[in-house]
């Protein structure tokens, strides 16, 4: 699928957002063609799912799909991460296993899987165990390229979440009154939100650049993806924490969605490699 124009991409964003608002069912997302796009357009779809912090299997499926390097496969996929768990593994029909550069697949009926108790209630991780006899060797893959692709996808999800949580915090600061004035008029509040907005703008630019470099298979794609992952997850954490501070007491309640975004921000910071691994890659490329 060729890249969309700017106008087409905004229509694409609106279409995905409409599906997400209706519940982000897998069939509806698949009907939109989300698995057949380039990275830049796929990033828009994942960003909209991240903005709603919904329990869609899109990110987990794309993890497996990128490992397979196939545009379409029968059924849902999940990638078994090095730690032995899979994202959205409960709905998977096939599990993709990457061992170094060796790529294999295991049908779901040949694995034992159990859900794990995790910080993020919207994103279930599954512990996956299987016998070696159930594995079908598929060939070789480039683990560095795969790591970059997964990092960029998580970065896109983080951008969506950060945008949503910051947008809602700004709206709250404009209408919440204290001493007869909106709290957004107080320097301590508006300066914090302005700083978060500036940090997010930088992260958005880095994620967009990384997705475009991946689409072009550019030599610096892995570096760009690591920078994007670091910038996006840090911006997400900062936005989620800043939003709770803006909300005050209500932000700490279970009924308010602020804690959902905070938990997902922490989860995203560890998915597809934590900060230490990406900092090491960036430092290595810089000769540090």
């Amino acid at each position: 699928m060729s890249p969309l124009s700017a106008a087409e991409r905004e229509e694409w964003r609106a279409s995905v957002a409409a599906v997400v608002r209706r519940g982000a069912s897998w069939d509806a997302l698949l009907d939109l063609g989300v698995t057949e796009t380039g990275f830049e357009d796929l990033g828009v779809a994942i960003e909209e799912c991240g903005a709603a912090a919904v329990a869609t299997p899109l990110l987990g499926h794309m993890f497996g799909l990128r490992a397979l390097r196939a545009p379409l496969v029968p059924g849902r996929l999940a990638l078994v991460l090095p730690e032995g768990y899979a994202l959205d593994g409960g709905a998977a029909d096939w599990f993709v296993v990457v061992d170094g550069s060796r790529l294999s697949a295991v049908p779901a009926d040949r694995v034992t899987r159990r859900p794990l108790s995790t910080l993020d209630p919207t994103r279930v991780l599954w512990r996956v165990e299987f016998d070696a006899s159930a594995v079908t060797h598929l060939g070789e893959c480039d683990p560095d390229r795969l790591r970059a692709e997964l990092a960029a996808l998580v970065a896109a999800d983080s951008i969506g979440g950060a945008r949503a949580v910051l947008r809602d915090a700004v709206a709250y600061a404009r209408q919440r009154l204290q001493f007869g004035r909106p709290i957004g008029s107080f320097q301590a509040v508006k300066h914090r939100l302005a700083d978060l907005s500036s940090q997010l703008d930088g992260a958005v630019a880095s994620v967009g650049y990384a997705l475009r470099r991946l689409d072009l298979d550019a030599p610096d794609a892995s570096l760009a993806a690591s920078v994007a992952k670091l910038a996006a997850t840090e911006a997400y954490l900062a936005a989620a924490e800043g939003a709770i501070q803006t909300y005050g007491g209500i932000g700490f309640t279970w009924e308010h969605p602020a804690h959902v975004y905070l938990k997902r921000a922490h989860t995203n910071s560890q998915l597809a490699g934590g900060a230490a691994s990406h900092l090491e890659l960036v430092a290595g490329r810089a000769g540090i």
Side-chain angles (χ1 to χ4, degrees):
M1 183 175 180
S2 59
L4 301 177
S5 67
E8 290 171 335
R9 186 165 291 122
E10 288 310 307
E11 293 181 5
W12 166 247
R13 181 185 295 278
S15 297
V16 175
V19 169
V20 170
R21 285 195 297 270
R22 294 197 299 266
S25 72
W26 176 244
D27 289 338
L29 287 169
L30 199 62
D31 288 343
L32 283 178
V34 292
T35 62
E36 303 171 56
T37 65
F39 272 101
E40 191 170 9
D41 300 324
L42 173 62
V44 170
I46 289 181
E47 183 182 326
E48 289 303 315
C49 291
V54 293
T56 168
L58 178 59
L59 188 61
H61 178 81
M62 291 310 303
F63 271 24
L65 201 61
R66 294 315 307 168
L68 280 184
R69 289 275 189 273
L72 290 172
V73 293
R76 301 185 193 178
L77 297 175
L79 176 66
V80 181
L81 298 169
E83 297 81 2
Y85 57 79
L87 179 63
D88 300 318
D93 300 303
W94 287 88
F95 288 89
V96 183
V97 183
V98 177
D99 182 10
S101 61
R102 182 183 175 91
L103 182 66
S104 307
V106 187
D109 59 2
R110 298 294 300 276
V111 307
T112 300
R113 49 186 166 179
R114 57 183 176 86
L116 300 176
S117 177
T118 60
L119 179 66
D120 183 358
T122 70
R123 179 173 282 159
V124 181
L125 295 176
W126 293 73
R127 174 66 66 184
V128 179
E129 298 175 349
F130 50 87
D131 189 87
S133 62
V135 175
T136 300
H137 180 53
L138 300 177
E140 304 296 315
C141 73
D142 182 349
D144 293 333
R145 169 75 183 196
L146 178 60
R147 177 178 61 177
E149 292 175 352
L150 303 189
L153 296 182
V154 174
D157 184 271
S158 299
I159 288 298
R163 274 179 164 165
V165 74
L166 184 57
R167 177 200 62 213
D168 292 346
V170 169
Y172 180 82
R174 285 173 172 164
Q175 61 88 25
R176 174 71 167 91
L177 299 180
Q178 189 73 40
F179 307 114
R181 296 170 56 190
I183 63 172
S185 66
F186 301 143
Q187 285 189 355
V189 176
K190 66 182 177 182
H191 286 185
R192 178 196 301 129
L193 295 175
D195 288 344
L196 292 172
S197 180
S198 296
Q199 183 178 2
L200 179 56
D201 285 344
V204 169
S206 68
V207 172
Y209 179 79
L211 294 171
R212 289 190 294 273
R213 301 307 281 174
L214 284 167
D215 272 332
L216 295 172
D217 198 19
D220 66 341
S222 292
L223 175 61
S226 287
V227 172
K229 173 67 162 52
L230 289 166
T233 52
E234 287 179 3
Y236 196 1
L237 277 170
E241 291 170 355
I244 289 179
Q245 293 172 11
T246 302
Y247 290 124
I250 192 175
F252 288 88
T253 63
W254 185 260
E255 292 78 13
H256 198 282
H259 72 94
V260 175
Y261 287 97
L262 180 62
K263 292 170 181 176
R264 177 165 280 203
H266 278 285
T267 301
N268 279 9
S269 68
Q270 298 303 315
L271 272 178
S277 64
H278 290 287
L279 282 171
E280 183 178 359
L281 188 149
V282 173
R285 292 292 181 89
I288 301 175

